[in-house]
Amino acid sequence: GMTGKKARDLTPDELQALPRMVREMEDGKAQVLEYGKALEKRHKNLRLRRYVVVSLGFERIWWAEA
């Protein structure tokens, strides 16, 4: 229910405080850790870096290394 203009005008702190964004980031972190463990178990010599990316439409993204 947010317009593109309002999404673009959000500060990074406001974006990261949105309940839906927080929930999606937490879900993404859980997924990336699970998939990373499976890959490391299958391929022993990997040096993976795990990233989670959450978007608010096409206007904003939030990414973090997990």
Side-chain angles (χ1 to χ4, degrees), residues 5 11 24 29 34 52-53 55-56 58-59 64:
K5 175 157 179 24
T11 67
E24 295 298 330
K29 283 182 181 179
E34 181 181 328
V52 180
V53 179
S55 72
L56 181 59
F58 291 106
E59 283 75 21

Side-chain angles (χ1 to χ4, degrees), residues 7 24 31 33 41 50 58 63 66:
E24 295 298 330
Q31 287 179 18
L33 292 174
K41 184 177 178 183
R50 298 166 179 93
F58 291 106
W63 66 272

Side-chain angles (χ1 to χ4, degrees), residues 22-40:
V22 171
R23 191 170 50 252
E24 295 298 330
M25 181 59 78
E26 290 171 355
D27 289 346
K29 283 182 181 179
Q31 287 179 18
V32 80
L33 292 174
E34 181 181 328
Y35 296 149
K37 285 180 188 176
L39 284 170
E40 287 174 335

